[in-house]
Amino acid sequence: MDLAGWLQLHVLDVLATGWLFLCWIGYSVFARRRAKKVYCLSSVLQQYRKQWILRMLRRENRIGDVAIIANLERNASFLASTSILVIAGLVTAVASTDKIHALLINLPFANTAITPLQVQFKIILLLFVHVFAFFTFTWSMRQYGFSAILLGATPMHDEELSTTGPGKTFAFHFSKVIDQAGHSYNYGLRAYYFSMAILIWLFHAGLYVFAVAVVVAILYAREFHSKTLSNMISAGALDDQIPPIK
């Protein structure tokens, strides 16, 4: 391939990478702002977390609450461990770019014009995404760990603090710590979703552009218009048109 052709493909790669981050970051910003106007999975869960902690303050036996936090932390731990395995595989793939390139160009519907350098670039981009996912999942784990400490510091059910204004303040901030852990977990999941679109890029650039848009559509549908969200709103007798309490 001549230099002009390589430069053209290089520009297309940069534009395609920009499309990925535009959709990824743009959707994250949109979702955060939209959640302040209508209910979504994250904002509804925050309402339930606050109710959970308020009721936990009045319980004598809190073993179930400990189990809930441990289970949430376990979910983040599993995906963090999975990210490590994916990262190890991608590092190996970077060192075997020529073999991967030879395999890709012989697959049906593959882009035969792709170069080994472009394959390596896309694998490194995948590596970056999963490193980001690892950091967000481990931060989520740490925040759930902080929540466990807060649970240990929770006033006993028969203390005056648990039923007064300070108790409600404690419950609000306790639930916010768990909420932030949930947000970190959600960011890691989104990274996994978008990494699937990058994987398609190895086979066809046009399908990749479409796949990124599909990922955004799936995320939006699940977070703002899923049946699960509708049932969660109904279970708590919440109005999906009223902005959630922050």
Side-chain angles (χ1 to χ4, degrees):
M1 181 181 297
D2 59 15
L3 179 60
W6 189 92
L7 288 174
Q8 182 180 7
L9 286 174
H10 179 70
V11 171
L12 290 176
D13 286 337
V14 172
L15 292 175
T17 304
W19 169 247
L20 170 71
F21 287 107
L22 175 65
C23 291
W24 188 352
I25 297 173
Y27 176 77
S28 297
V29 173
F30 165 80
R32 293 285 290 192
R33 293 182 178 178
R34 181 68 174 167
K36 296 178 181 179
K37 299 178 181 179
V38 299
Y39 280 117
C40 66
L41 288 177
S42 296
S43 56
V44 169
L45 281 172
Q46 171 56 9
Q47 297 298 302
Y48 282 115
R49 290 183 185 111
K50 188 176 179 181
Q51 292 178 23
W52 165 29
I53 302 304
L54 286 170
R55 288 168 180 164
M56 182 268 294
L57 289 172
R58 299 194 291 269
R59 282 197 290 269
E60 180 179 4
N61 188 335
R62 295 167 179 171
I63 295 177
D65 305 295
V66 173
I68 292 173
I69 292 179
N71 184 62
L72 292 170
E73 184 177 4
R74 192 179 304 114
N75 290 337
S77 175
F78 170 76
L79 289 174
S81 300
T82 302
S83 295
I84 286 292
L85 296 176
V86 174
I87 289 169
L90 289 172
V91 169
T92 303
V94 170
S96 306
T97 302
D98 291 335
K99 294 180 180 179
I100 296 173
H101 174 259
L103 176 64
L104 286 175
I105 61 176
N106 290 316
L107 292 176
F109 307 108
N111 178 15
T112 56
I114 192 171
T115 65
L117 181 62
Q118 290 173 309
V119 172
Q120 191 173 59
F121 170 76
K122 293 164 188 177
I123 294 174
I124 291 174
L125 183 60
L126 265 174
L127 180 62
F128 167 81
V129 171
H130 282 281
V131 167
F132 172 81
F134 171 76
F135 276 103
T136 54
F137 284 131
T138 51
W139 179 229
S140 177
M141 289 169 55
R142 289 199 66 191
Q143 290 177 99
Y144 283 127
F146 301 153
S147 300
I149 294 174
L150 284 171
L151 181 59
T154 302
M156 296 303 295
H157 71 288
D158 54 354
E159 292 183 31
E160 181 181 356
L161 179 63
S162 66
T163 57
T164 59
K168 293 181 179 180
T169 300
F170 179 87
F172 174 79
H173 291 291
F174 191 170
S175 65
K176 288 296 290 183
V177 173
I178 302 176
D179 183 54
Q180 292 302 314
H183 279 304
S184 297
Y185 182 81
N186 198 24
Y187 293 149
L189 283 180
R190 287 177 187 169
Y192 268 69
Y193 275 70
F194 282 105
S195 71
M196 296 297 102
I198 299 173
L199 188 62
I200 294 175
W201 193 8
L202 288 169
F203 301 94
H204 196 282
L207 289 177
Y208 152 77
V209 172
F210 177 72
V212 172
V214 169
V215 167
V216 172
I218 290 173
L219 289 172
Y220 177 74
R222 290 184 176 181
E223 293 186 31
F224 290 92
H225 295 287
S226 64
K227 291 183 179 179
T228 299
L229 173 62
S230 178
N231 287 317
M232 290 175 68
I233 292 173
S234 298
L238 304 175
D239 184 347
D240 61 356
Q241 299 301 317
I242 298 177
I245 301 172
K246 290 295 182 181

